[in-house]
Amino acid sequence: MEKMPKIGLPLIFIIIVVIILLTKSITTIGAGSAGVLYKPLADGVVTDQPALGEGFHIIAPWNSVTVYEVRQQELSEKIEALSSNGLDIRIDASIWYLPEYENLGNLHQQKGEMYVQRVLQPAIRSAARSVIGRYTPEQLYSSKRDAIQTEIFAETNRLLEGQYVQLNEVLVRDVKLPPTIKAAIERKLSQEQEALEYEFRLQKAEQEAERQRIDAEGKAIANEILDASLTDKILKEKGIQATVELAKSTNSKVIVIGSGQEGMPIILGNN
């Protein structure tokens, strides 16, 4: 076997080193992510420049990049707290959040990759316990879910101020009470609903009775007016008008003028 020229080994070594350096110098950042550059030979984490965006980036081989997802993410939390009267309440909540892109370097330097456990979770748990403590179990179960969502969101936002985390929404999926308390509240709500239905039926009955009274009074007044207006002369005039109309009819009949009561005509022979 022919010996390799002396120049061959150094060249191969150089090529290998170059490949290694190139491999370490090329960084790929995927969709929905951004990278924080760390320079160990300079000032460490780069905080005065924008984070590295999606795509290929060439960096010095002695530097490194930490990649963060910068899309909206969801955190599911089961939080136990005490109501205003000291009863155990558990809520299931979803939190929509993302790291602040323009402050990604500060987030990495001050909070690290576990910023959710170090910042977001303590904030949401503290806010939820504070808000739940303002309400009774009945309020939490029946009528205040939207209110506690809004208040937890506002309280969490206050705690996250200056923490480089953006909170988009807090959704309370479920409020769980002790079984005995839940059953008692449901019974009370059912009884209140029945009372409202009964009151509604009474109101409808009273309205119908009032309508009938007004209708009867109207008819009575109309009859009084009609009785007062029907004098003998008017009745005779109406009778004469009816006789004239009947006389015009083609039906066979006999009209006896002036032979009826009060001199009214008598009509005979209607086929």
Side-chain angles (χ1 to χ4, degrees):
M1 182 176 175
E2 188 176 341
K3 290 185 179 181
M4 184 177 295
K6 293 183 180 180
I7 188 106
L9 288 175
L11 181 61
I12 293 174
F13 177 76
I14 292 173
I15 292 173
I16 293 173
V17 170
V18 169
I19 292 173
I20 293 174
L21 291 176
L22 285 175
T23 302
K24 291 182 64 65
S25 299
I26 297 175
T27 298
T28 303
I29 297 177
S33 299
V36 177
L37 184 62
Y38 176 71
K39 298 180 176 180
L41 302 181
D43 297 327
V45 177
V46 176
T47 59
D48 57 351
Q49 297 178 11
L52 302 178
E54 301 171 1
F56 286 101
H57 297 273
I58 297 177
I59 62 173
W62 50 85
N63 294 338
S64 61
V65 174
T66 302
V67 177
Y68 284 82
E69 185 174 0
V70 292
R71 290 176 289 206
Q72 178 174 281
Q73 301 163 66
E74 179 183 12
L75 172 67
S76 296
E77 281 287 298
K78 298 182 183 297
I79 303 169
E80 295 184 355
L82 297 178
S83 65
S84 61
N85 55 358
L87 292 175
D88 290 328
I89 308 294
R90 191 179 78 173
I91 66 169
D92 293 346
S94 290
I95 299 91
W96 295 350
Y97 72 96
L98 68 159
E100 293 180 355
Y101 188 93
E102 65 276 9
N103 288 311
L104 202 57
N106 291 315
L107 177 69
H108 180 65
Q109 185 182 59
Q110 298 179 30
K111 314 301 176 185
E113 295 178 74
M114 296 183 66
Y115 70 92
V116 172
Q117 294 82 358
R118 293 171 178 166
V119 175
L120 184 57
Q121 283 182 324
I124 193 70
R125 290 170 183 173
S126 175
R129 290 181 180 125
S130 175
V131 171
I132 290 172
R134 303 168 191 166
Y135 295 99
T136 65
E138 183 176 349
Q139 290 173 323
L140 294 168
Y141 184 73
S142 59
S143 61
K144 294 296 183 180
R145 184 168 302 188
D146 290 341
I148 65 173
Q149 279 189 173
T150 302
E151 292 181 29
I152 291 173
F153 177 82
E155 183 71 13
T156 306
N157 249 338
R158 185 184 66 80
L159 294 174
L160 290 177
E161 187 175 351
Q163 302 298 316
Y164 315 118
V165 179
Q166 176 181 319
L167 184 67
N168 288 347
E169 191 62 83
V170 173
L171 303 174
V172 176
R173 299 191 306 267
D174 191 21
V175 176
K176 296 182 179 179
L177 310 178
T180 54
I181 301 300
K182 180 180 178 181
I185 291 174
E186 289 177 345
R187 283 196 302 271
K188 181 180 178 182
L189 293 176
S190 177
Q191 291 168 358
E192 289 177 351
Q193 185 63 33
E194 291 175 359
L196 289 174
E197 290 177 0
Y198 180 71
E199 183 179 349
F200 175 76
R201 289 196 297 268
L202 285 179
Q203 290 177 351
K204 291 291 290 183
E206 290 174 358
Q207 291 171 357
E208 178 63 19
E210 180 67 12
R211 186 194 66 78
Q212 292 179 357
R213 183 187 66 79
I214 294 172
D215 186 52
E217 288 180 354
K219 289 180 179 179
I221 293 172
N223 289 334
E224 289 177 2
I225 295 172
L226 182 62
D227 289 343
S229 65
L230 292 176
T231 63
D232 293 342
K233 290 182 178 180
I234 291 176
L235 290 173
K236 286 180 180 181
E237 182 182 353
K238 294 294 183 183
I240 292 169
Q241 290 176 354
T243 302
V244 171
E245 294 298 324
L246 287 171
K248 295 178 182 179
S249 173
T250 58
N251 293 333
S252 177
K253 65 268 184 185
V254 176
I255 302 175
V256 181
I257 303 298
S259 298
Q261 186 179 1
E262 300 293 335
M264 294 297 293
I266 296 175
I267 301 172
L268 303 173
N270 190 351
N271 292 335

